[in-house]
Amino acid sequence: MLLSLRIENFALIDRLDLDFGPSLNVFTGETGAGKSIILDAIDAVLGGKVDRRSIRTGATRAILEATFELDSSAAKWLGEQEIEPIDGNLAVCSREINVSSGALRSRSRLNGILVNRQLMEQLRDRLVEITAQGQTVHLGQETLQREWLDLYGGKKLTQARSTITAAWLGASSAKTALNRRRQSEQQRLQRLDLLEYQVRELSEAHIEDGRELEQLEQESIRLGHVVELQQQSYRVHQALYQNDGDSASAADLLSKAEEILNDMVVYDVQLQPILEMVSDALAQATEASSQISSYGEQLEADPERLEEVEDRIRELKQICRKYGQLSEAIAYYHSIQNELNELLKGGESMEALELAYQTALEQLKDACSHLTILRREAALKLETHLVGELKPLAMEKVQFQVEISPCSPTATGADQIAFCFSPNPGEPLQPLGAIASGGEMSRFLLAIKACFSQIESAGTLIFDEIDAGVSGRVAGAIAKKLYQLSDKHQVLCVTHQPLIAAMADCHFRVNKQTIAAESTIGEAANSESGERTVVRVAVLNSQQRREELAQLASGRSATEAIAFAESLLVEAAGLRQSQSAKPSK
């Protein structure tokens, strides 16, 4: 239940503090007086959309604060969000809206704790139900009618809807997999042909060592220069060890040097290290000459091997031109082998995917059939209940039926829901949105709200001109229905009907006033005329109510209008007394 509302610099409101009663609260005033602004403020403080126009002209900040009394369910939910209710059962919702450099920002708090918009909207669903002007236009939408029917069906139907959603997601996933498999089959076969060719080509090339090409190229060079290598190895052997010419070999020179150093060491032992180096050099030169001689003797021309090597080099270079470096070609060969194996497996067969889809589709159809049964049961109850709520609203001969026809399965079931309506005897049932007048739509919406009042958790019902398009006896019937709703819920209602206003337990009059413009905190005095328009709200006493009702009835406070207003108040008092005497449901 909404206990109080504080508004600062919101739309045309500079400052406003309101306390609300627990039952029927009515707002009256001239058209354009600003009644709906108050309901907009309640919507905004609970996470509703705001824009730059939400902030009063000249101000840079708007502040909204609403205090709610929580029922046990809402208090428990708040505790689950790790936010403790104030005094055990109060929630203070506040929102600060700022504009700076053209940018709009807002922050919401719940019992002083900064919260996001999503959490505020979840709390809103537990606190209020707002029926705004123009909502009757949407009554003919089948989507909304289906949601109402499912909500009326209660927990069993809601759980069935959840099962439908899961089954539909499963069937959609299976269908997507099947379609993807069908679409990719041609691509798979094309890829398979390519990979089979490449694997065969690389396999026949027998590539294993990434250095093979380099080694073969070195061998090719050696085999191509065998004669030169033989001649040069002989010359090296002569230079190192056995020179047939006039000059001495390296071994001869080193041997001579070793002999001289042996004589010198006898006289000076400091030359011993030099002697050792020369001896080592002589030994190395002798060994080198032996190895180069052996190397030269082993060299022989091998034209067949040379041709074989050059053929292999050409083969490997062809592989490298197509697949990159030899090491890269080897890595690619291993990777496409794995890919080829996967493609040959083919994943799940087409038959398996088809079976999976058909199974998921059957599960979806079964779930939809169960949901249809539950919806038909809920429809019968709603038809009886809604007609019972409409008859007191001057629609004694009304007929109402929920038509449920089959359609293709979706995430919401396989039913097409249509509310059909006949307000006059002898007229056939037709879709609600096609034939209902504005006044009939208003009464239908009120009756729907009455049907849901026992199952909705919201403690406060807000109606913005639910009486649009009605008058006389119908307005009186709506007044009674609103009062009946206020027996179980707090009701806030904007109205132009004196019959409805007379039923109020708490009556507010809203009007616009022109005041002298002055600079206040957060607001600049920028009116060229020196005047500003503000919205003012007054709680009416008994005498003020008579005058307000007279104004609503005739537009003036004439004696006859005052008398009519007094009669309305007497009648409303009697009705309230009779309603109070009835046992609570």
Side-chain angles (χ1 to χ4, degrees), residues 3-9 13-20 27 38 63-67 508 535-539:
L3 299 179
S4 63
L5 178 66
R6 180 168 69 91
I7 305 173
E8 290 186 13
N9 292 330
I13 299 175
D14 53 355
R15 286 181 177 82
L16 186 62
D17 289 280
L18 295 176
D19 295 320
F20 299 96
F27 295 87
I38 299 169
I63 298 176
L64 305 170
E65 182 180 282
T67 301
F508 299 90
V535 171
R536 293 288 183 256
V537 180
V539 182

Side-chain angles (χ1 to χ4, degrees), residues 128-197:
V128 302
E129 173 72 24
I130 300 178
T131 303
Q133 294 185 50
Q135 189 172 349
T136 55
V137 175
H138 305 296
L139 284 177
Q141 296 179 355
E142 292 185 357
T143 301
L144 180 60
Q145 294 173 2
R146 183 186 61 232
E147 294 302 320
W148 271 341
L149 177 62
D150 290 350
L151 180 61
Y152 188 80
K155 187 176 182 180
K156 285 177 60 178
L157 211 152
T158 303
Q159 290 174 343
R161 274 282 296 267
S162 299
T163 302
I164 291 284
T165 301
W168 183 80
L169 289 173
S172 297
S173 177
K175 185 177 182 180
T176 299
L178 178 60
N179 289 338
R180 187 184 297 117
R181 182 71 171 81
R182 287 170 175 168
Q183 293 170 1
S184 66
E185 183 64 16
Q186 183 178 3
Q187 297 175 352
R188 188 187 75 86
L189 293 175
Q190 293 172 350
R191 180 66 173 168
L192 190 61
D193 286 343
L194 174 63
L195 292 183
E196 285 177 338
Y197 169 78

Side-chain angles (χ1 to χ4, degrees), residues 477-488:
I478 290 178
K480 293 177 182 178
K481 184 61 66 178
L482 287 171
Y483 187 79
Q484 290 171 3
L485 285 173
S486 71
D487 185 45
K488 294 184 178 295

Side-chain angles (χ1 to χ4, degrees), residues 354-585:
E354 183 73 41
L355 178 60
Y357 171 60
Q358 291 300 327
T359 301
L361 187 59
E362 288 301 320
Q363 292 175 347
L364 174 60
K365 289 179 178 178
D366 290 343
C368 287
S369 297
H370 177 62
L371 179 62
T372 299
I373 294 173
L374 295 178
R375 279 175 169 164
R376 292 191 184 281
E377 294 175 354
L380 290 174
K381 294 179 182 179
L382 179 60
E383 288 167 358
T384 302
H385 193 171
L386 188 60
V387 169
E389 296 291 347
L390 284 170
K391 285 185 176 181
L393 296 175
M395 300 180 75
E396 295 84 358
K397 304 297 183 180
V398 66
Q399 298 179 67
F400 172 71
Q401 182 178 326
V402 180
E403 284 193 356
I404 302 177
S405 54
C407 65
S408 299
T410 67
T412 58
D415 303 313
Q416 188 171 350
I417 309 297
F419 285 4
C420 293
F421 176 75
S422 174
N424 303 306
E427 296 297 321
L429 287 163
Q430 296 186 48
L432 177 65
I435 65 165
S437 65
E440 288 167 345
M441 280 292 199
S442 296
R443 282 177 281 172
F444 191 91
L445 181 58
L446 182 58
I448 280 284
K449 294 300 180 182
C451 288
F452 284 97
S453 65
Q454 297 178 6
I455 61 175
E456 289 178 333
S457 59
T460 300
L461 303 179
I462 300 176
F463 296 95
D464 188 1
E465 296 192 19
I466 190 67
D467 53 7
V470 303
S471 60
R473 187 168 65 94
V474 175
I478 290 178
K480 293 177 182 178
K481 184 61 66 178
L482 287 171
Y483 187 79
Q484 290 171 3
L485 285 173
S486 71
D487 185 45
K488 294 184 178 295
H489 299 267
Q490 181 189 44
V491 177
L492 276 62
C493 179
V494 171
T495 183
H496 290 284
Q497 293 289 342
L499 295 172
I500 295 175
M503 294 297 298
D505 298 290
C506 189
H507 191 159
F508 299 90
R509 180 173 58 206
V510 183
N511 69 320
K512 289 180 181 176
Q513 296 181 8
T514 301
I515 62 173
E518 59 180 73
S519 180
T520 59
I521 297 175
E523 180 176 344
N526 60 356
S527 173
E528 295 180 359
S529 65
E531 296 180 333
R532 294 297 304 274
T533 300
V534 296
V535 171
R536 293 288 183 256
V537 180
V539 182
L540 305 183
N541 57 30
S542 298
Q543 180 58 37
Q544 291 170 330
R545 288 194 70 192
R546 291 186 181 89
E547 295 176 357
E548 180 68 8
L549 293 176
Q551 287 285 339
L552 291 174
S554 67
R556 55 188 175 85
S557 297
T559 302
E560 295 83 359
I562 290 293
F564 175 67
E566 290 179 347
S567 69
L568 290 179
L569 291 173
V570 171
E571 181 181 354
L575 180 59
R576 284 198 295 272
Q577 185 176 3
S578 64
Q579 290 292 327
S580 300
K582 294 181 179 179
S584 298
K585 296 181 180 179

